[in-house]
Each structure stands twice: as C-alpha cells, then as structure tokens.
Amino acid sequence: MSPRPTVRRSTAPPRRARRTAGVTLLAAATILAGTASATAGSTPPQGTAGPTVQPSELSETTRLADRRSLVVGDRAYAMGDETGLYPAAGWHIRGEMGGFWTQPIKLLDGLWFGLDGAWLGKDVAAQKYTSGHGYSRIDYSGDVSVRRTDFVPDGIRATLVGLTLQSDTAKTVKLDVDAHSELMASYPWGWTTPSAANANLQDTGAYADGSLRFREQGTPSYPNATEHNYAAFVGSSLRPTSHALSPNNRGPQDPAVICPADGTTPARCDDSLIGKGTGGRLTYDVKLAAGQSKTIWFAVAGSDDGTSAAQREYRRALSSPDALLKAKIRDRQKIDSLSAVDLPGDRLLQQSVEWSKQNLADSVQEARNLRIRDVNEGKDYPAPVGTVEAARWFGAGFPDYPWIFATDGEYMAFAAVAAGQFDTVKGHLRALRDISDILNNRSGKVAHEVVPTGDVYFGSNQSAGNTDETVKFPSAVALLWRWTGDDRFRDSMYDFSVRNLQYVYRELDKDGDGWPEGLANVERAGMGVEKLDSTVYLARGLRDLADLAASKGDTTVQQWATARANDLESRFEAQWWVPQAMGYADSVDDPANPANDNTPIFQRHWIGVTPMEAVLTRPGQPASPLASAEHGQIALEQREKPCFTGEFGLYHTGTGPTSDPAGNPGPSCDPIVSQVKSERAMFGLNTAIMAVAEGNFGRMDVDQQQFYTTGNARIQLDPSVWETPGAMPEIAPSPDSPANIGRPFYDRSMSLQAWGAYGILWPVVHQQLGVAPDLGHGKVAVVPQLPEGQQKVAGSNIRLGRGSVDVSARLAGKELRTDVRIKGVGAKFTVGAVLPAGATVKSVTLDGRSAPYQLVTTTRGVEVHVAARGSSPSLKITLN
C-alpha cells in the first residue's frame, strides 16, 4: 500500500525424492574451505525438461556488481551486492533499505574487507557468488585465496561473516575491516510526516575490548516521539592489532556518493541524504601457513534496547560460529526434507519446489514490543494505542517490504502449509489478529501493512481498505485447521474470524446488495466501489466460516454465513460475468447511484482470475471454484492469450483495443474499450494465481498450468533471468517493468518476494499430487492429477498435522496408479486419481483386490474415489 517511485506497491496484487546432490552437515567446513561444489547454469532457460540433479547451491559469475545478495535469519538480515560491496539500496527510506538489519532497526550501511591494502570486491575481483540453503558465499581471485561466507543464525540478532584465507606460501597478511553505522528505525520513511530525516539522529562510535561499538540515543523532536537507545557491535573473536574511528570508513566506497532525493542520477550511490552514521576500522595481522586455510568469523550484532542487549547478541553470535552454521544447515535440511518431490517430467518445477521452500524460510521475521499506532498513510503520528509484545511473520519482500502484510501472509499461507511450515503461518495470523484488534478497537477489520516498529501505514477503521484481506482471514484460519487438525488454534482465531465478516456486512455493504465495498488488491482510476476480488474472497470466507462454526456447534453463525453464501453465489454469475469480454468484471459501479444499476466495469486487471482461483468448501459437495464450470474455462482460455500473458506469466493489466482512450500497446482479445492503460508487468503473484486457477479446472497442459509454473520457476532459477540465484523476485522482467539488474539499486522491485511460491507449491502438492486434508473433520483425500504429457509425479514427507504422507502417481499404458504411505496421520483416507481426458474405467483394485469406487465429476475432471484402508494403500485403475 505504501507508495514507491516507479513500481508502486499499491499497484501490485496485495505480494521425498532421493537427493543426488546437496549440502550435508559434514559440508559446513567445506563451505568455508572452498571445496563445496556449486552449480551454475544448471537450469534450462525454457521448457519443463531439465537435469535429474537438484543442486542445493546455485552460482553466478556475471555482472556480480549489478546483483543483490541476501542472507536472512528470523532476527536479522543483510543485503549488499554480489561482490561484497554495499551500494545504497531501496526506496522506502531511499538508499537505506540495504545493509545490516535486526527488526525493527538498521545497524550498518555495510562491512568491507581489505587484504594488504586491496579491497575485496573492487581491487580484488569477485569471481563467483553462490546461494545456498541458508547462506551465501563469494569467491575472490588473488595471490591469497579468499572465500567469504555470510549467514544469519536464527534466534540471534546478528549476521555472521566468515573469511577463509589460504596462501601457497607462508605469510602474514594485514586484514582491514571497515564498518559504517546507520542506526535508524524502519519507520518513519523518506516521505512521511514525520520523515526519516526527522527521526534519524547522529550516531556515535567507540572502540572497546576488540570491537567497534555504535550508538544512537535520544528523542526526535516531533510530537509523540519516544526516547530510543539503539546499539550495534562489530568485531571478531580475534584481537585486532589496531583500530581507528572516523565519520567515513566505507572501504572502497569512500568518499561516499550520495543518492539524490529523486531521479536516477547517479545510477549507483553509497548513502542517503539523511545518513547520520559514523565509521570505524579494525586491523588484524593474520598468519597463514603454506597451503593451509584459516577462517576468521566477524559478527554484526545489535539491539534497539541498548548496549548491554547488543553485547549479549554479539557474544552469542561469536561463541561458536561453526556450530551455528551447522545448525542453520541442519534446520534448512529439515525444511528441504518436507514436501520433497520427484517430477521426472518437469525437473525445473521440481527444483523450484526445493527453492520455494527455502524462500519461505528466508522470509520469516520476528520483532518485540511493537507499539501500535495508525500513521494514516504517513500523514499522522499519534501516540500508540497499545503494544504487541512479540510478533512472528512472513516478511513480504526484501529489501523494502520485510514487514507484516495481510495480503502476502494470506496468499503465502497456501504455499506454507503445502511446504509443512505451519508454525509461521500461525504466527503471522496471530500477529494480524493482535495488531488489528488493538488498532481497530476489535472492530474485526484486518490491518493491511504493519512495520515492525508497530506503525500501521494502512488498514485502520478510517481507511478505505483493504476489504479483501478482511474477508480472506477466515479462509486462512480454516486452511490451517484443515491441514493440522489443531482445534486450539481454530478456537483462538474463531472470534476474530466471526468479527471479520460481521464487520464487512456492517460497514462495507451500505446498499445491502451483498457485494462488499472498499479498496482491494487493485486500486485504479475508474473502478467501482465494489471489487471482484473482495466479492470472490467473501464468498469463500463465508463458506469457510460456516465450516468453522459448524465444527464448534455455533449454529447461529453457521446459519448466518451459509445464508449469506447461498445468496451471493446464486447471483454472482448474473452480476459479474461480461460475455463480450469473455471474463468477469473487475468491479461494479457506484451502487449509491440508481442510474448506474450496478454496472459491471471491465478493465483487464489480474483480479479477473480470482473467481477461478478461490475454491469454496460446501457441505456434501466437492470443493469447487466460485466461477461456473462453463465460464471458468472460457475466462482461463482468454487469459492465456497474448493480450493477458507474456513470456513469464500473467500481466497485471491486459491490453485492449488501440482505440482505448488510455492507449493499450499490444494485441487485443476483446472489443471492450477502457479508460485504464495496460500494465504489462508480470508479478509473481499474478502468475501464481493463474497457475492455481488452471489447476482448479484441470488445465494441466504445457500451455496451461505448466506455462505459468514454468514462468515463476524461470525467474527464480534461470541464469539468463535471475538477479539473485534461487530467489523468486517480486516482478519478472516485463515490457512495462524492466529487469532489476539494469536499474539503480534504489529503484528496484523486491529481489525476494515469497508470494510467488503460492504458484509453485500449491499446484504441485495440492493439485498434481492431490493432497487435500480436512483434519478438522478427521478426513484426508489424496487424488492426484498427472500433468498433460507426464507419466509420474511423486512426493514424500508431506506434513499433515503431526504426521505425513508419501504419494506417488503414475500412468503406464492403460494403468493409472496412486500409491500412498501414511505415517502418523489419524484420519479416514480417500485415495483416487483424476482420469485423463476422455478415459473411462475398466476396473479398480485397492491393494490387489477389486474395490468399490465412486466417479465424481469436478471442475478438475472425472475423479475416481476409493475409501482406503491400512497405512500403505495402493490403488490401480485400469482404463478402457
């Protein structure tokens, strides 16, 4: 919701196979020593076929100075470039969003290393950058071999950087380490009132006991400002031979080039106009034996609670860096082992599943003592209305959105449950509930955008939106409940979920027509006050709330929600379908004006896919999307055309007739004239939603779902496309949004935006492997659907509640098989398969014996369902 110079957030949609290669716990030492293998360019640039090896590392050797690096832990993160330097990055506080952070404050602009007067990244060239699971690595050329390894141990407010040095001859090298502080909070921002310039106070530097110590203390001079005490420590377990303090100390980035207030000149700079940091240098004499490597660990640690707390984090980080790295690798291996897939017909997608799970883990953030206040889109700064003691969430994107968004968290929940990452989803939903209830006095409205300070940029009762996030919340709760069977979690969220939808009908349906009003994901000129995506997600939310209510015996809420849902669904197609557009209206015109008579408005925004993407759970019926079977197929086929879809996925806003007053470059697929110009930017979420929608309708061909999963996988894994290897970005290189690598660091979209994982993990785990738990009701269905042209999909250790399942589906000639292994899941299982188009059943056996079966027609196709027994049901369907 917060604005940005070029690509505004508010313009975007709200944001076990056997391992044949990888990093083991024993490889922690080789990561440092320089013998661990790395894979560069292992992903084919196009298509779905690829190598059979899934590397746990991805490397890049070209244009390293133009690419962003990123390492993340739940209490800290760091961003620079892939040479080891730190250009000014980000736009919320222009040029200040990179460097070293621990929520909710920034610590340093950067950390630079020099050997015998030659600075790494400038005088000594970086040869290769490698992304691993939970760490990054840079290899440098030179007489002394240097390998830099960065990672952030979870649970500690510190980033660790290891330098591994090796020389062919015995020698002593002088190692200089420069650090430049920039202690500041993540809010206020550059353009808000007050601004970051008002809030940022002068840092001071000192040296003590072998470490550099930076502080910022005081109270900014604007109303309701509070006293703060920020501190950062920088140092090593080695004792420096000398030190120095100065206002600069930026390694090869001295003197600093200052970012302009606006514009794009110069293209690369070192600090912002509001920077008030200071610097220091630590110098070490490092003795190297011939042919032997030596690793020196450095820590950047800090706290918003003074020097004692910062020192505690610093000591924890340096107590045992090697053990902390092993623990990080071990934790990431556990994540990798969950929902491990084998997709022989689509190795690119298989690799994307692997890295998407890591992207989710890389997005987890945590903060304490969030002071909740409504800053009204940066216009106000009132006194806080309450405090949330702790919050844990999926950060939306790095470097400019590592905070709490309802939109991103609600979409990411689907990816996260498919990956078995239940706890973070629960934490995210708890944070949204706790913040929203304090902010909005328990009205039921969900806050949209919350900075880790507790400042709420948008989403109070006085805001016009975002309606969609409020109606999606009960569905996120129901999703978690179905995948975990956790009644306690359901109970803790139930009251808030009820109040969510009661708020919508009380405050956001003034004309009583059932279509909710207010802002939603897309905010564009000419839209009516009632938005399609809010309507779609309300329909789903009502069904999910009714299901939650029924499970609790709350017949009053169950009946209320069911009646509302029945009414909305009965009128949806007549109101929202636009035949000449072959799609659904984006909004409905002002219902307060009788002359408009709820006129549909079609503008080609991505939200037109949501009726096919959102699946409704109705008692006694197969779950199905809100869109009718007929209209859903028509609309999806239309969206596949080049007026809506580009090389890497779905456009934000499609192209229309050249006669459009706004102008719409590109082909036209319908005659509708619109005042809104096309936006041919392909966000990871747009493409994800299209991939999910295609799967809901069984459209699994190479030019259907596979096209969109490939699009998101390519921007994450294709060396010709990626910026940061393995990180799925916010926006793909697009006609109207050039690739990040060619743009200034302070004017880029996010290098990692985890919402795109929705279009990878959900299609594979839920749709292709067919895992559909309903553990709240003690049931699980496993009904796979093989993508067109593929003979096998398999997955193992797919987490359900406290247990898991393995699934294998294959087609060989006329035999369709589904094999399931159930581990610790106490539920009734249904196993089955979606029949290939046009196929009919000759016979069905379960565990080698003839079995009764049901044929169930859904939007996916004709499904065979069989009641399973035992822990390893094996289903064989012989086709005619």
Side-chain angles (χ1 to χ4, degrees):
M1 186 64 210
S2 52
R4 59 178 296 175
T6 302
V7 182
R8 289 175 52 104
R9 173 63 169 196
S10 57
T11 68
R15 308 225 184 65
R16 132 173 131 176
R18 181 175 66 89
R19 296 301 303 270
T20 55
V23 179
T24 68
L25 289 180
L26 295 177
T30 62
I31 291 169
L32 300 169
T35 59
S37 64
T39 300
S42 61
T43 303
Q46 296 187 31
T48 58
T52 58
V53 173
Q54 291 189 357
S56 286
E57 293 185 344
L58 297 169
S59 293
E60 179 59 67
T61 59
T62 67
R63 298 187 64 180
L64 300 183
D66 296 327
R67 303 177 188 274
R68 288 174 290 188
S69 66
L70 178 67
V71 286
V72 185
D74 56 7
R75 300 306 311 277
Y77 64 93
M79 173 174 280
D81 72 21
E82 295 183 9
T83 71
L85 301 184
Y86 293 87
W91 49 265
H92 267 109
I93 306 172
R94 199 173 208 227
E96 295 289 1
M97 303 307 293
F100 291 77
W101 287 76
T102 177
Q103 302 288 15
I105 62 169
K106 182 175 181 178
L107 303 176
L108 299 185
D109 280 334
L111 188 70
W112 298 266
F113 298 92
L115 285 181
D116 292 331
W119 292 102
L120 301 183
K122 183 178 181 181
D123 307 313
V124 181
Q127 298 297 303
K128 181 170 64 176
Y129 175 87
T130 299
S131 292
H133 290 183
Y135 60 90
S136 69
R137 192 173 63 243
I138 304 174
D139 292 305
Y140 297 92
S141 63
D143 293 337
V144 175
S145 171
V146 182
R147 164 163 287 190
R148 170 177 173 165
T149 301
D150 292 39
F151 79 100
V152 184
D154 291 319
I156 301 177
R157 303 181 72 178
T159 298
L160 281 163
V161 180
L163 278 193
T164 300
L165 311 177
Q166 184 172 342
S167 173
D168 291 336
T169 61
K171 61 171 26 178
T172 297
V173 298
K174 186 180 80 168
L175 174 61
D176 290 320
V177 182
D178 271 14
H180 193 272
S181 73
E182 192 58 82
L183 289 154
M184 62 165 55
S186 52
Y187 190 89
W189 298 330
W191 65 89
T192 58
T193 302
S195 70
N198 303 133
N200 194 25
L201 305 180
Q202 181 63 52
D203 293 0
T204 60
Y207 171 82
D209 196 25
S211 63
L212 298 172
R213 303 180 177 192
F214 303 107
R215 299 187 72 179
E216 181 183 305
Q217 305 171 80
T219 305
S221 57
Y222 49 80
N224 297 311
T226 55
E227 183 179 9
H228 65 253
N229 186 1
Y230 305 154
F233 277 49
V234 181
S236 168
S237 55
L238 288 184
R239 194 76 181 182
T241 55
S242 64
H243 71 273
L245 300 172
S246 83
N248 301 311
N249 292 114
R250 297 176 180 270
Q253 292 177 239
D254 270 342
V257 175
I258 304 301
C259 293
D262 51 37
T264 58
T265 302
R268 186 179 176 107
C269 48
D270 306 302
D271 202 355
S272 74
L273 286 167
I274 68 166
K276 295 181 181 179
T278 190
R281 175 174 296 177
L282 300 171
T283 299
Y284 305 84
D285 289 336
V286 182
K287 294 182 179 180
L288 300 177
Q292 294 183 0
S293 63
K294 177 179 287 189
T295 297
I296 308 164
W297 284 104
F298 299 86
V300 177
S303 174
D304 54 336
D305 194 25
T307 56
S308 294
Q311 186 173 42
R312 182 172 60 249
E313 300 299 317
Y314 175 75
R315 288 174 174 171
R316 290 178 66 198
L318 286 177
S319 62
S320 183
D322 292 286
L324 290 171
L325 178 57
K326 289 181 180 179
K328 185 82 174 188
I329 294 170
R330 181 174 60 248
D331 290 344
R332 291 309 183 90
Q333 285 182 322
K334 181 177 180 180
I335 288 168
D336 193 36
S337 72
L338 298 173
S339 297
V341 302
D342 180 18
L343 309 177
D346 196 342
R347 292 303 189 193
L348 176 61
L349 182 57
Q350 176 177 333
Q351 193 177 11
S352 186
V353 168
E354 174 191 355
W355 282 91
S356 294
K357 292 183 294 185
Q358 299 297 322
N359 287 177
L360 288 171
D362 277 334
S363 300
V364 179
Q365 294 288 277
E366 186 174 318
R368 309 287 166 81
N369 298 315
L370 289 76
R371 298 180 178 91
I372 309 305
R373 78 180 93 221
D374 175 21
V375 301
N376 187 23
E377 298 183 81
K379 303 180 186 73
D380 304 325
Y381 199 78
V385 293
T387 299
V388 172
E389 292 185 1
R392 189 173 175 88
W393 68 91
F394 283 116
F398 294 83
D400 274 284
Y401 291 112
W403 39 73
I404 308 167
F405 280 88
T407 295
D408 298 70
E410 289 163 338
Y411 282 119
M412 277 191 272
F414 288 85
V417 297
Q421 297 179 31
F422 301 154
D423 290 345
T424 307
V425 183
K426 291 179 180 180
H428 196 113
L429 296 180
R430 289 189 189 103
L432 285 174
R433 177 201 60 190
D434 295 347
I435 293 165
S436 298
D437 269 353
I438 293 173
L439 174 75
N440 290 323
N441 197 26
R442 295 180 55 83
S443 71
K445 183 173 184 174
V446 175
H448 167 73
E449 180 175 6
V450 186
V451 186
T453 54
D455 296 294
V456 182
Y457 185 77
F458 191 79
S460 70
N461 287 332
Q462 70 180 18
S463 304
N466 280 43
T467 305
D468 65 293
E469 294 166 312
T470 299
V471 299
K472 286 206 294 280
F473 195 93
S475 294
V477 173
L479 173 74
L480 255 293
W481 178 61
R482 291 168 185 149
W483 280 76
T484 65
D486 188 341
D487 288 344
R488 287 189 297 177
F489 177 77
R490 173 205 62 188
D491 293 347
S492 70
M493 294 288 141
Y494 180 71
D495 172 68
F496 186 62
S497 298
V498 172
R499 288 188 281 115
N500 295 154
L501 301 194
Q502 288 176 340
Y503 172 85
V504 170
Y505 279 102
R506 184 178 67 249
E507 302 292 339
L508 300 177
D509 188 22
K510 299 300 184 184
D511 61 342
D513 66 354
W515 316 127
E517 299 142 11
L519 297 178
N521 283 284
V522 175
E523 300 151 27
R524 290 297 182 276
M527 295 191 81
V529 298
E530 298 170 339
K531 311 300 192 298
L532 175 64
D533 47 334
S534 293
T535 295
V536 170
Y537 295 132
L538 174 60
R540 184 182 67 185
L542 287 165
R543 290 296 183 184
D544 288 336
L545 181 61
D547 192 25
L548 293 170
S551 72
K552 289 182 62 64
D554 187 347
T555 57
T556 300
V557 170
Q558 179 191 5
Q559 292 170 359
W560 175 83
T562 300
R564 297 279 188 174
N566 288 337
D567 174 65
L568 188 154
E569 294 168 34
S570 69
R571 297 183 292 113
F572 176 75
E573 295 290 342
Q575 176 62 71
W576 293 90
W577 181 251
V578 181
Q580 62 270 40
M582 290 165 282
Y584 291 94
D586 299 274
S587 61
V588 166
D589 211 352
D590 187 1
N593 184 351
N596 288 328
D597 193 28
N598 282 359
T599 302
I601 299 172
F602 182 73
Q603 296 176 312
R604 301 182 186 85
H605 301 314
W606 66 271
I607 57 174
V609 181
T610 58
M612 291 77 76
E613 173 250 347
V615 171
L616 280 61
T617 300
R618 305 174 179 94
Q621 300 180 43
S624 64
L626 177 60
S628 71
E630 177 188 2
H631 289 165
Q633 295 281 2
I634 293 170
L636 288 171
E637 183 176 353
Q638 185 75 350
R639 294 278 167 162
E640 293 164 0
K641 296 178 181 178
C643 50
F644 287 105
T645 289
E647 179 182 2
F648 298 108
L650 189 71
Y651 292 143
H652 180 283
T653 303
T655 61
T658 56
S659 59
D660 277 11
N664 274 296
S668 175
C669 301
D670 59 69
I672 303 296
V673 174
S674 172
Q675 298 288 334
V676 175
K677 187 177 181 180
S678 65
E679 293 179 40
R680 296 170 300 166
M682 290 167 280
F683 289 80
L685 181 60
N686 305 160
T687 302
I689 284 176
M690 187 66 180
V692 171
E694 295 270 47
N696 287 337
F697 281 81
R699 299 171 62 88
M700 312 287 271
D701 209 340
V702 292
D703 58 353
Q704 296 172 341
Q705 183 183 77
Q706 293 179 60
F707 182 90
Y708 298 95
T709 55
T710 296
N712 269 1
R714 285 188 61 198
I715 63 176
Q716 178 189 40
L717 296 170
D718 185 340
S720 70
V721 182
W722 66 30
E723 181 191 0
T724 304
M728 193 180 299
E730 180 185 13
I731 305 174
S734 309
D736 294 338
S737 185
N740 277 323
I741 194 172
R743 298 167 64 175
F745 278 76
Y746 52 79
D747 188 33
R748 295 185 178 188
S749 61
M750 302 308 99
S751 66
L752 170 62
Q753 187 97 16
W755 62 18
Y758 175 38
I760 299 294
L761 289 159
W762 193 253
V764 171
V765 175
H766 178 64
Q767 296 175 334
Q768 295 184 18
L769 293 173
V771 179
D774 188 7
L775 291 179
H777 294 295
K779 299 182 296 184
V780 177
V782 181
V783 184
Q785 181 170 16
L786 287 165
E788 191 73 22
Q790 297 183 33
Q791 280 71 52
K792 178 187 175 183
V793 294
S796 65
N797 209 15
I798 298 167
R799 192 177 173 203
L800 302 178
R802 297 180 180 178
S804 66
V805 295
D806 300 343
V807 181
S808 175
R810 65 185 69 209
L811 176 64
K814 294 288 187 178
E815 184 177 289
L816 186 62
R817 294 195 58 156
T818 299
D819 294 300
V820 180
R821 184 182 178 192
I822 304 165
K823 296 172 285 187
V825 183
K828 295 181 179 179
F829 272 75
T830 296
V831 297
V834 179
L835 298 178
T840 58
V841 175
K842 181 177 181 180
S843 64
V844 175
T845 63
L846 181 68
D847 302 329
R849 298 180 181 179
S850 179
Y853 64 92
Q854 288 183 301
L855 294 178
V856 181
T857 300
T858 72
T859 54
R860 299 172 71 202
V862 177
E863 301 181 8
V864 175
H865 289 191
V866 176
R869 54 183 178 267
S871 61
S872 300
S874 179
L875 178 70
K876 182 173 75 173
I877 303 168
T878 304
L879 306 175
N880 286 308

